[in-house]
Amino acid sequence: MDVDKLFYRYVIKNLFVDPCEVKFWDGEVVIYGEGIPQFRINFNEPIAKLEVFTDPYMAFGEGYMLKKIDIVGSVQKVIESLYKNRSSFLHQKKGYKKLFEIFSNSIRESKENIQFHYDIGNDFYRLWLDETMTYSCAYFKSPEDSLLQAQRNKVAHILRKLNLQPGQTLLDIGCGWGELIIAAAKDYQSKALGITLSSEQYYKTVERIENEGLQDMVEVQLIDYRELEGRTFDRVVSVGMIEHVGKAHLNSYFSAVSSLLNENGVSLLHCITGYKELAINSWFNKYIFPGGYIPAVQELVWLMAANGFYLIDLESLREHYTRTLEHWIKNFEGSLTLAMKIKDETFIRMWRLYLNSCAASFHSGNIDLHQFLFTKGVNNNWPLTRINMYS
């Protein structure tokens, strides 16, 4: 038996918690674990042993992208099986680096990082997002909710949490393709401003505002939140944006929100979270979210208090994000014929791995999704119960 196969047989033996089948490059098939195999891994060629030991996430991630590895069965199931095996060598944090200590995430770098992920083409995102082009965790009131309904639920849930009143002003930091600011104007008669660093999101949002005839109520700017000056708002919301800020700039973010809020104003932060300081997977940093950082819950709460905010509500939507991602994966796989016309196979495999990895991470509890609601100063006029959030 060759050395590469001996190495892989040893590594795979302790890699998954579920029984699985592995087919090696020479055609040999080996079953690991007891019971019916839950999935099959095909090694079309060996990956260098040094790469696996040095950075397994990069080695296996690139191996899948480049078809050195194929998966028969659910990609999400394979990754969950990896994550659940706490004794695996992967949990020794190989392939993780504290990249958040290296990246400065200056205004220029932040714009480049955002454009790297979000400016890959509205046509691509349109293939698998819902009709509103909402690219964040949805809110499922019922298991039967469609993705479109769940995304509309999410926007409504956020605006109700903010207790938005007619005539109040709203700032959306990282407004995506504009669904929330448009809903705020149409449903609450709020004057809303959205800001983004993505050119494709900006131009699409401008188009949507014009099509809705909301130019007097809604505006969008292609600008960094640190560059917005001379304006304050009754409400500030940020959905899926702070993950791009970087650890070094988290305090600056909350300081900026404080300066942008009117006294007794209210802010909602919707973001991916961890329960401890999370180092960054090098594959994700290189191919998906350069400069990203997932903050810990306690880190965010501490920074809110340090900047004079009062936390009034905290809600986890972790399994809502699992369900959201599963909808995206289904749509993604159902649109492959069209996707292959605008993206190459390596890109398609990269995004399949990304979406399934995220679904596995939320479902296994590696990461979470929280909504934080907080006020600038003491707001004694706030509703005493949560009735307004669910009515």
Side-chain angles (χ1 to χ4, degrees):
M1 184 178 295
D2 66 58
V3 175
D4 284 330
K5 186 183 287 188
L6 282 171
F7 167 75
Y8 274 97
R9 291 187 75 148
Y10 171 77
V11 167
I12 296 169
K13 183 179 180 180
N14 299 301
L15 205 55
F16 302 102
V17 296
D18 298 292
C20 65
E21 191 173 85
V22 176
K23 182 180 179 181
F24 291 99
W25 48 89
D26 62 359
E28 181 187 10
V29 176
V30 179
I31 295 177
Y32 293 90
E34 297 181 359
I36 300 172
Q38 299 298 300
F39 48 82
R40 176 170 170 165
I41 310 292
N42 292 338
F43 282 90
N44 300 318
E45 61 180 275
I47 300 170
K49 296 187 290 296
L50 182 60
E51 292 179 15
V52 174
F53 268 123
T54 302
D55 191 340
Y57 292 93
M58 185 68 76
F60 290 129
E62 290 185 336
Y64 181 79
M65 287 169 57
L66 300 174
K67 296 189 73 173
K68 295 180 180 179
I69 303 170
D70 273 316
I71 293 171
V72 180
S74 167
V75 177
Q76 179 183 342
K77 177 71 174 178
V78 172
I79 299 170
E80 281 191 38
S81 192
L82 286 169
Y83 286 158
K84 290 177 182 177
N85 186 4
R86 298 296 174 180
S87 63
S88 164
F89 79 104
L90 290 177
H91 288 278
Q92 298 172 16
K93 300 303 179 185
K94 291 180 182 288
Y96 277 86
K97 298 177 182 178
K98 291 190 176 181
L99 296 173
F100 50 76
E101 296 176 352
I102 301 173
F103 294 119
S104 66
N105 276 357
S106 64
I107 291 176
R108 177 185 62 80
E109 288 173 326
S110 292
K111 186 173 183 179
E112 290 174 353
N113 291 339
I114 291 299
Q115 291 177 343
F116 178 90
H117 186 84
Y118 295 95
D119 284 354
I120 56 177
N122 286 345
D123 288 346
F124 172 69
Y125 282 109
R126 194 176 292 112
L127 292 176
W128 49 275
L129 294 178
D130 68 288
E131 292 89 325
T132 68
M133 297 281 284
T134 303
Y135 185 28
S136 55
C137 175
Y139 185 69
F140 292 85
K141 289 185 175 181
S142 162
E144 288 74 40
D145 281 347
S146 67
L147 179 60
L148 173 61
Q149 183 60 55
Q151 291 293 11
R152 287 175 172 164
N153 293 345
K154 185 266 300 295
V155 170
H157 190 52
I158 287 174
L159 295 176
R160 283 197 297 268
K161 273 190 176 183
L162 286 167
N163 198 29
L164 192 62
Q165 302 298 315
Q168 289 184 330
T169 54
L170 170 73
L171 170 65
D172 185 357
I173 301 176
C175 66
W177 284 275
E179 178 66 15
L180 190 144
I181 53 177
I182 289 172
K186 290 175 67 175
D187 300 336
Y188 290 86
Q189 296 75 54
S190 170
K191 288 203 168 185
L193 167 64
I195 60 175
T196 179
L197 292 176
S198 163
S199 298
E200 299 230 9
Q201 290 181 342
Y202 168 76
Y203 289 114
K204 182 61 179 179
T205 303
V206 169
E207 178 185 314
R208 292 189 66 189
I209 293 169
E210 292 175 351
N211 289 342
E212 295 278 358
L214 293 171
Q215 295 93 322
D216 293 337
M217 297 291 290
V218 185
E219 62 177 310
V220 60
Q221 294 185 25
L222 188 63
I223 190 174
D224 190 284
Y225 71 95
R226 291 166 286 189
E227 298 176 300
L228 189 60
E229 298 177 348
R231 298 181 64 172
T232 57
F233 303 84
D234 299 307
R235 303 288 188 265
V236 173
V237 63
S238 180
V239 179
M241 174 271 177
I242 203 170
E243 300 92 324
H244 300 287
V245 165
K247 182 177 176 64
H249 294 282
L250 286 177
N251 187 65
S252 298
Y253 169 83
F254 286 105
S255 177
V257 170
S258 180
S259 67
L260 290 164
L261 267 179
N262 294 326
E263 194 61 34
N264 294 324
V266 184
S267 182
L268 184 142
L269 175 63
H270 169 121
C271 65
I272 300 171
T273 56
Y275 289 96
K276 56 185 177 182
E277 189 178 80
L278 287 181
I280 294 175
N281 178 318
S282 54
W283 183 83
F284 263 79
N285 181 76
K286 180 178 179 179
Y287 291 104
I288 307 298
F289 289 120
Y293 170 68
I294 297 176
V297 174
Q298 61 270 28
E299 185 176 21
L300 293 173
V301 172
W302 188 91
L303 286 168
M304 289 172 198
N307 281 275
F309 291 118
Y310 286 74
L311 180 63
I312 56 176
D313 193 83
L314 176 58
E315 181 179 15
S316 169
L317 301 181
R318 180 177 60 82
E319 275 297 86
H320 290 268
Y321 218 160
T322 302
R323 190 178 295 271
T324 302
L325 281 151
E326 289 172 349
H327 274 275
W328 288 346
I329 292 164
K330 182 179 179 181
N331 292 347
F332 182 83
E333 296 297 341
S335 64
L336 285 184
T337 301
L338 293 173
M340 292 295 284
K341 293 180 179 180
I342 56 177
K343 300 294 180 183
D344 63 30
E345 187 176 8
T346 298
F347 182 93
I348 297 297
R349 291 173 70 90
M350 177 179 73
W351 270 74
R352 177 184 293 126
L353 185 59
Y354 153 57
L355 292 172
N356 281 276
S357 295
C358 289
S361 288
F362 283 107
H363 192 53
S364 63
N366 279 2
I367 52 179
D368 210 317
L369 188 290
H370 281 93
Q371 289 184 348
F372 302 81
L373 188 68
F374 50 96
T375 64
K376 181 178 179 178
V378 176
N379 188 332
N380 290 329
N381 296 318
W382 199 251
L384 292 176
T385 71
R386 293 181 174 182
I387 292 175
N388 64 298
M389 297 184 190
Y390 301 104
S391 60

